[in-house]
Amino acid sequence: MSFSHDALIFGPADVDLARSPLAGKVDAETYVLGAFNPGMTRLANGNLLLMVRVAEALRAPMTDQHINALRWFDGGYCLDAWPLDFVDTSDPRKFMMRGGGWKVMALTSLSWLLPVELTADGTRVEAVHYDKAVTPRASYQCYGVEDARISKVGDRYLMTTCSVSPERHSTTLYTSDNALDWRLEGIVLDHQNKDMLIFEGQIGEKYWAQTRPLGDLYFAYPPGSEWRAGPSINLASSPDALHWKPYDKPGIRPHAATMATARMGGGAPPIATPEGWLTLWHGVERRAWSGFTGPIGRSLIVTIPASSCGPAIIR
C-alpha cells in the first residue's frame, strides 16, 4: 500500500528536555524513553492537536546497588531508591517487587502529556505547547499521566487519561473549551481501568464510553462456548461525563475463534456512521514460544440508534 505522505511527525528527539516539567527539579540526568500513544483532536483553527505521552526516564537508574524510580510529590519530583536484591529488573520499562504474594511494580520513567499542534493535514508540526503540558497534580498521579484519549462532545473537549500511583491505577478526566487549557476533573473510573473512549455525541441524552477493565483473574465460560475468558472492552453511560454506570450486557469479548485477544484496548473514539458507531481497537496475540507479540488492529460496528438508551447489536 502506498501513501502520498509517509513521515515520522514527532519523536523522542523532538522533545526539548530543557522545557520539560521535570527540568531542574530532579538531581539526576533524564532522557526521553518514548514519545508515543497520543490522543488526537482538531482545534478550532482547523489544525490537528496531538497530546503526546512523553516517558521521561533516568539516564542512570542504578546507583550503589539500588534502582531509582521517579515520583511526583507535593508539587515537585523525587527519587525513590530500591535495593536491587528486592526487585526484578528484567523488563527495562519497570521493575517488579519480589515476594508479597501479589504483583507490585514501579516504573523506570514518569510520563506527562505534551500538546503538539500540527497543520490541518497533519504533515508538519506548527507548534509545541510546553506551557500547556499536562503533568501530575495529585497523589493518584504520582507515577505519571499516560495515554490520552480525546473526544469532542458539543462545544466541550473531554480527555481521559490513565493516572498511575500506589493508590490506584485509574482513569481520570480532563475538560477544556479549546483543547489546550485542560482542567483536571478527577477520577472517573477506579483501579485497574484505562483507555476509556467517550463517544463523540450523546445517545439517549447520556454520555457513553468504552472502558477497558484489567485484571489477572477471569471466570471460565462453559465448555464449547463461542467466548473465551480474558480481557474485554465494556460500555458505560453517564448523565454528566463524571459519574459512570457500567452497562449490564457484555461489550467486546475475546472470541474463541481468534487469538488476538490476550490483551485488548481501544484506539480512536467511536465514529458515528449511518449504520451505527464504528469502533477501532487493538488486540495482542500470545504465543507460547515468545510471550506477547505486537498489537493487531481490529474494528467492528456497534449499532446504537440515536434514540436508543444503549447498544442493540455489536457485530
Side-chain angles (χ1 to χ4, degrees):
M1 184 179 294
S2 61
F3 298 91
S4 59
H5 184 86
D6 185 7
L8 183 62
I9 298 298
F10 193 86
D14 298 308
V15 179
D16 183 359
L17 283 184
R19 305 180 69 183
S20 160
L22 279 69
K25 297 181 180 179
V26 178
D27 187 21
E29 183 183 358
T30 63
Y31 73 104
V32 180
L33 178 65
F36 58 106
N37 209 4
M40 185 174 72
T41 192
R42 192 171 294 278
L43 300 172
N45 63 7
N47 287 344
L48 294 174
L49 181 79
L50 300 179
M51 290 296 290
V52 178
R53 175 183 170 185
V54 177
E56 190 167 346
L58 296 170
R59 177 70 68 183
M62 294 187 187
T63 56
D64 300 325
Q65 294 301 305
H66 287 74
I67 187 168
N68 296 290
L70 279 166
R71 180 169 55 89
W72 178 92
F73 176 73
D74 198 23
Y77 298 88
C78 63
L79 301 180
D80 295 325
W82 296 89
L84 286 178
D85 58 3
F86 191 67
V87 300
D88 178 355
T89 59
S90 58
D91 189 329
R93 301 168 301 171
K94 61 191 178 184
F95 54 93
M96 306 296 296
M97 308 300 172
R98 300 184 190 277
W102 49 81
K103 292 182 179 179
V104 178
M105 72 177 182
L107 302 175
T108 59
S109 64
L110 186 145
S111 291
W112 48 279
L113 304 179
L114 178 61
V116 177
E117 185 175 347
L118 308 180
T119 53
D121 62 2
T123 60
R124 188 178 71 253
V125 174
E126 283 282 280
V128 183
H129 301 279
Y130 287 91
D131 59 325
K132 306 293 186 181
V134 172
T135 62
R137 291 180 49 196
S139 60
Y140 54 79
Q141 300 176 316
C142 70
Y143 284 147
V145 184
E146 306 176 353
D147 302 344
R149 301 288 188 268
I150 305 173
S151 301
K152 188 179 183 185
V153 184
D155 295 327
R156 189 168 63 148
Y157 293 90
L158 306 174
M159 179 172 71
T160 62
T161 67
C162 181
S163 292
V164 187
S165 78
E167 296 175 4
R168 60 240 294 199
H169 186 196
S170 60
T171 298
T172 40
L173 178 70
Y174 291 81
T175 60
S176 176
D177 295 326
N178 59 11
L180 286 172
D181 299 291
W182 294 99
R183 174 182 174 181
L184 176 61
E185 302 289 353
I187 295 174
V188 291
L189 293 178
D190 211 332
H191 190 59
Q192 293 283 56
N193 218 311
K194 61 184 297 185
D195 292 351
M196 181 184 188
L197 300 171
I198 298 176
F199 286 53
E200 291 198 315
Q202 291 184 298
I203 304 165
E205 299 183 351
K206 290 184 178 181
Y207 295 89
W208 281 82
Q210 291 181 339
T211 67
R212 184 191 177 190
L214 304 177
D216 293 323
L217 174 66
Y218 299 91
F219 286 92
Y221 284 98
S225 171
E226 64 177 309
W227 307 110
R228 182 162 47 83
S232 62
I233 298 174
N234 293 329
L235 293 167
S237 64
S238 170
D240 56 8
L242 291 174
H243 304 88
W244 292 88
K245 180 193 179 302
Y247 188 59
D248 293 342
K249 296 181 180 179
I252 305 171
R253 292 176 284 170
H255 197 277
T258 179
M259 295 303 297
T261 49
R263 282 205 305 262
M264 300 168 63
I271 303 165
T273 77
E275 297 182 58
W277 294 84
L278 173 66
T279 179
L280 307 175
W281 57 278
H282 64 274
V284 177
E285 182 177 351
R286 184 190 289 274
R287 295 178 181 171
W289 57 269
S290 63
F292 287 113
T293 67
I296 301 172
R298 291 290 186 268
S299 65
L300 52 77
I301 289 285
V302 181
T303 303
I304 307 180
S307 60
S308 173
C309 294
I313 303 172
I314 296 179
R315 66 176 186 269

